Amino acid sequence: MTRQDFKKALIIAHDLVMTAVAVLATFFVRFEGFLLSERLVHLPLVLPPFVAFAGAVYWYFQLYRSKWRFASLPDLFNIFRAVTVLALALLVVDYVLVSPQFFGIYFFGKVTIALYWLVQMFLLGGPRLAFRYMKYARSRNTLERNASTPTLLLGRVSDTEVILRAIESGAVRKLQPRGILSYRADDLGQSIRGVPVLGTFDDLDQVIQDFNERGVPIRRLVATPSALTPEANPDTLLARSRRLGLPLVRVTSLGEGMRDAELAPLEIEDLLLRPTVQIDRQRLETFIRGKRVLVTGGGGSIGSEICTRVVAFGASDLLILESSEPSLHHILENPTILSSDTRVDGVIADVRDRERIREVMGEFRPDVVFHAAALKHVPYLEKNWTEGVKTNVFGSVNVADAAVEAGVSAIVMISTDKAIDPVSMLGATKRLAEMYGQALDAEFMGRNGATRTIAVRFGNVLGSVGSVVPKFKAQIARGGPVTVTHPDMVRYFMTTREAADLVLTSASHADAEGRTLTDGTNTDERASVYVLKMGQPVRIYDLAERMIRLAGYEPGEDIEISVTGTRPGERLHEILFAREEPRAEIGIDGVMAAKPVFADRARVDQWLNTLARAITVGDRAMAERVFEEAIPEFKRRKQVPPPAAPVEQARLASN
């Protein structure tokens, strides 16, 4: 018997003994003399079956699934329901079925049953609450001894209670909460788990001064998610904390399990985005759990995040394919990867090596493939166009063909919003890869066990290599200037977590859709391209100004903003869908989709053959003619206005 089973057995024994004690205690309180002795004579006949019945009722209401140290109102409500069922059962048995026929009297009686209900509630709920309080008092004493960092919690009281619980349980360590500041005035005067609300965010300076005068200097500020919402004015909060010289941190992962809670420094980019789209965790766990997953480019920004999400959602096996040895080593040493129950392995391979990819895919036999390997920087691909074609086009072809050959359920190609009406080599290569995937998907769609091939588009990812935000931070740290290519440049932004969750959500939808289209139904209605609803686009010049102010400087005075001019292949506005792409409603919040618009497989193969010849002879003009034929909107090295107004694109993105 394991330690956990032993503890559960003790709880069961406790509840059954307390049931017998409740009945006996009720009789001794309610009756005396002859009435008591008469009932005690018959009690051995009545009590054992009642205790056995009570055990079944307790099991049904899940009294044994929760730990006593976390006893709460839902647990007490379960006890209330169970004891009420027992009391009603006694009432039915006593007045309808048994007592008048067997004993000639009502064995319990209505008053006795009501008294039993009260005693039973106390004997089941009281020990649980007492045990929780004992553990709480012990943990508070331990925390007071071990806590070394006097801290202020920032945010609404409901959020701060979650953090206080995490501190008490040991999920968040080394913090000594001394007070709470809320941005809402109606929270003032409250006390949460013994920690008082001392004021609003506007009172931060005064509260810090008061603690210093009392000889308890505050050494850390902890921001809850509510403290980072627009109505809380987090920009001012960050600026004040920096002026006071206090580290401002945020709590991460509280929404995905208290045991995973951790503190992370609050960075400027945490304040730059809208609230992230809430994902359906149950959907993703159902889709990923127990599956064998392969991720190409698994050491990159997006690929590594996909890897950590895959293991978090319970994949049985994960194979990380990477051409860079340092990147592969870095992701394999990720703490999330190392601590997971997923069997994780890595392989060095280049997606351009067709036979190597077939070999890896054939040996591993994945259920799902996420193809994140790519060259993605616009200026480099404009200059080194052959490398972009080899990796983004033929590398994608190799991965898709190998996935189909290995019988993969679904392959997701990571694309980009630059693939729509492309003006760069990056956009053109990614769009052609999308078209190959769509042609492949159409060729096999409707067959049992066919591989679904889809593409996922998203905008710029904060924190990724080459992202504008880290670049601006470095320029601000050097004292400027901050360089912007064009004052009207507009981009969509998202976090790596959002991007990875979009990819997994899209794969789950495509996989489910593929299973429902194997009966000869019309496959033209399926979705082939998925896009996150990314909200309003961000003007890069405004982003630069805000980042400078968040760093405590004034743009144009302390740090200059320099306009350097657009680079080859850049355009001012990003586009989510091509004009001719019909949108498909998929019923998932935060995600849009488009039905396929593409050439047939034979036509795509002709373009690929011509591209291969262009690479062999180094003929860029030949390659660009292929792109122009395949993608009529492709414009060579020329900045063009977007086909839809930015306002209309933003409206579509936020719907």
Side-chain angles (χ1 to χ4, degrees), residues 581-599:
E581 279 185 321
R583 287 140 181 90
E585 187 59 47
I586 63 174
I588 298 178
D589 184 38
V591 179
M592 299 179 289
K595 301 171 187 176
V597 177
F598 56 90

Side-chain angles (χ1 to χ4, degrees), residues 206-227:
Q206 184 61 50
V207 170
I208 296 297
Q209 181 179 342
D210 291 344
F211 274 107
N212 287 335
E213 291 175 354
R214 282 184 276 167
V216 186
I218 297 298
R219 292 169 53 193
R220 179 172 289 180
L221 305 175
V222 177
T224 67
S226 62

Side-chain angles (χ1 to χ4, degrees), residues 249-525:
V249 300
R250 58 187 177 90
V251 179
T252 63
S253 302
L254 282 180
E256 298 179 12
M258 202 67 73
R259 62 182 179 181
D260 299 325
E262 59 184 21
L263 299 177
L266 183 68
E267 301 290 351
I268 290 176
E269 50 262 46
D270 294 321
L271 307 180
L272 299 178
L273 294 173
R274 55 173 171 73
T276 57
V277 175
Q278 294 299 312
I279 64 161
D280 186 347
R281 282 186 58 84
Q282 185 59 49
R283 177 193 184 95
L284 297 188
E285 287 180 353
T286 301
F287 172 60
I288 291 294
R289 185 166 300 282
K291 283 187 169 61
R292 299 170 63 82
V293 178
L294 186 148
V295 181
T296 71
S301 304
I302 299 299
S304 60
E305 186 66 27
I306 292 175
C307 290
T308 59
R309 301 303 277 162
V310 161
V311 300
F313 291 128
S316 63
D317 298 85
L318 170 64
L319 182 63
I320 304 174
L321 188 149
E322 199 25 276
S323 62
S324 167
E325 183 183 35
S327 297
L328 179 61
H329 175 75
H330 185 265
I331 182 60
L332 288 175
E333 292 298 312
N334 184 292
T336 302
I337 300 291
L338 292 175
S339 62
S340 73
D341 295 328
T342 303
R343 292 184 292 272
V344 182
D345 198 5
V347 60
I348 297 177
D350 194 326
V351 295
R352 297 198 251 186
D353 188 337
R354 185 175 180 83
E355 291 306 313
R356 173 65 169 152
I357 296 301
R358 289 182 60 198
E359 173 190 346
V360 171
M361 201 84 70
E363 289 181 359
F364 184 64
R365 294 285 174 179
D367 299 306
V368 184
V369 172
F370 297 100
H371 177 44
L375 298 176
K376 62 180 181 179
H377 294 290
V378 171
Y380 298 152
L381 264 64
E382 289 301 304
K383 185 176 181 180
N384 305 279
W385 66 275
T386 58
E387 302 308 301
V389 173
K390 290 176 186 177
T391 298
N392 294 351
V393 177
F394 289 106
S396 299
V397 169
N398 294 340
V399 173
D401 288 348
V404 171
E405 184 179 324
V408 172
S409 173
I411 172 175
V412 184
M413 294 183 174
I414 311 301
S415 189
T416 172
D417 50 8
K418 295 175 177 63
I420 300 307
D421 293 356
V423 297
S424 64
M425 272 294 175
L426 169 61
T429 55
K430 281 293 192 178
R431 179 62 184 133
L432 193 58
E434 284 184 9
M435 296 173 69
Y436 182 80
Q438 291 169 335
L440 202 63
D441 191 53
E443 182 178 352
F444 294 102
M445 178 55 70
R447 304 182 190 177
N448 285 322
T451 300
R452 286 275 1 235
T453 306
I454 63 168
V456 180
R457 297 179 191 144
F458 42 77
N460 298 268
V461 177
L462 289 174
S464 64
V465 177
S467 171
V468 69
V469 173
K471 178 181 178 181
F472 283 176
K473 287 176 67 177
Q475 290 175 334
I476 293 170
R478 292 197 303 266
V482 173
T483 58
V484 177
T485 58
H486 194 284
D488 296 324
M489 188 75 68
V490 172
R491 291 291 183 267
Y492 292 100
F493 286 96
M494 70 172 72
T495 65
T496 53
R497 174 65 58 86
E498 270 191 300
D501 287 340
L502 165 65
V503 172
L504 268 63
T505 300
S506 303
S508 70
H509 179 269
D511 183 66
E513 191 179 52
R515 290 195 301 271
T516 61
L517 293 176
T518 58
D519 56 359
T521 55
N522 183 11
T523 61
D524 291 336
E525 294 302 312

Side-chain angles (χ1 to χ4, degrees), residues 599-644:
D600 59 75
R601 174 72 181 276
R603 190 68 180 278
V604 175
D605 286 343
Q606 289 179 359
W607 291 331
L608 293 177
N609 291 334
T610 305
L611 268 182
R613 291 199 303 272
I615 291 175
T616 301
V617 300
D619 189 340
R620 180 168 184 155
M622 182 189 300
E624 290 183 340
R625 284 195 296 270
V626 171
F627 289 129
E628 288 180 339
E629 182 180 349
I631 315 164
E633 299 82 9
F634 177 61
K635 306 296 180 183
R636 288 178 292 172
R637 299 179 302 280
K638 184 171 71 174
Q639 181 69 50
V640 295

